[in-house]
Amino acid sequence: MEPPLNRAPPIPLATAMEAQAVAAEPHAASPAADAELSQLWASHESGVDEWRPYGTFAGAMDALVASAWVNRFDDKLLAQLDRLWLACPGDANATLASGEPVLFAAMRKSWSALAVRLLDAGADPTVTFDGLTAAHVAVKGVCPKVVSRLHAAGVTLHDSNKPLVAEDGTRQPLAQAAYLDAAREMCAAMRRADPSIHVDDGALEALEFG
């Protein structure tokens, strides 16, 4: 496992990409752009610590997920995360040292733009990890932008014929929400993706969040 970052990472990739202002689709990039970003990633040093090159995309993700700094610099870091796939060589179906798919890690950390980029690159949303599906993790990380993609791939978003929490404790994806507003937002995204979904609003409000 790569060592966690011990300070806020500098942001060379985001600023470089903004300067290029490419007209291509968000997930598309030319080989020249990839090479330039990779060079920046490998050569940039901060005044105190080096944002060093990682051998793989999964290695960089491991460091970011483990870093205590990640959630403290959201605006800048999210801009960089959106470019991370371009800067590091990687496999969209790679796993972290824990075995967690990088797609799941991106959704769990609420990095929707990165999750979409991974799906564009061929990440398999039908895998499970630690008993959870991609829909469970998308709800946990509040990632409504990926819901329609998961539905199109055949991932079950919600079973209208089952309770949100079964007697044996098995939880449907919506029951993974950390708070009511998140559950409502993800429920709305599910209904947009699949209008046949029915969720009892009273049962949703009665959930024990945490």
Side-chain angles (χ1 to χ4, degrees), residues 71-120:
N71 292 323
R72 300 186 191 181
F73 296 85
D74 290 335
D75 292 343
K76 291 182 179 179
L77 184 63
L78 290 178
Q80 181 164 321
L81 282 169
D82 190 36
R83 293 8 180 210
L84 183 57
W85 180 251
L86 301 179
C88 281
D91 173 7
N93 288 301
T95 59
L96 304 186
S98 64
E100 181 182 26
V102 290
L103 174 63
F104 281 40
M107 293 190 296
R108 177 170 58 82
K109 301 294 286 185
S110 304
W111 299 336
S112 295
L114 182 58
V116 169
R117 190 182 292 286
L118 288 167
L119 289 167
D120 288 341

Side-chain angles (χ1 to χ4, degrees), residues 129-148:
F129 176 71
D130 201 21
L132 301 178
T133 69
H136 287 90
V137 182
V139 170
K140 183 177 290 189
V142 195
C143 295
K145 292 181 180 179
V146 306
V147 169
S148 62

Side-chain angles (χ1 to χ4, degrees), residues 3-88:
L5 303 175
N6 59 15
R7 65 183 300 279
I11 319 295
L13 303 180
T15 54
M17 200 65 180
E18 292 297 333
Q20 290 177 22
V22 293
E25 290 295 319
H27 60 273
S30 67
D34 281 356
E36 183 174 352
L37 288 171
S38 295
Q39 184 177 10
L40 278 168
W41 182 275
S43 64
H44 181 83
E45 294 183 2
S46 70
V48 180
D49 197 10
E50 183 179 357
W51 178 235
R52 68 182 181 80
Y54 289 90
T56 64
F57 176 78
M61 282 287 288
D62 250 332
L64 288 168
V65 168
S67 174
W69 293 91
V70 165
N71 292 323
R72 300 186 191 181
F73 296 85
D74 290 335
D75 292 343
K76 291 182 179 179
L77 184 63
L78 290 178
Q80 181 164 321
L81 282 169
D82 190 36
R83 293 8 180 210
L84 183 57
W85 180 251
L86 301 179
C88 281

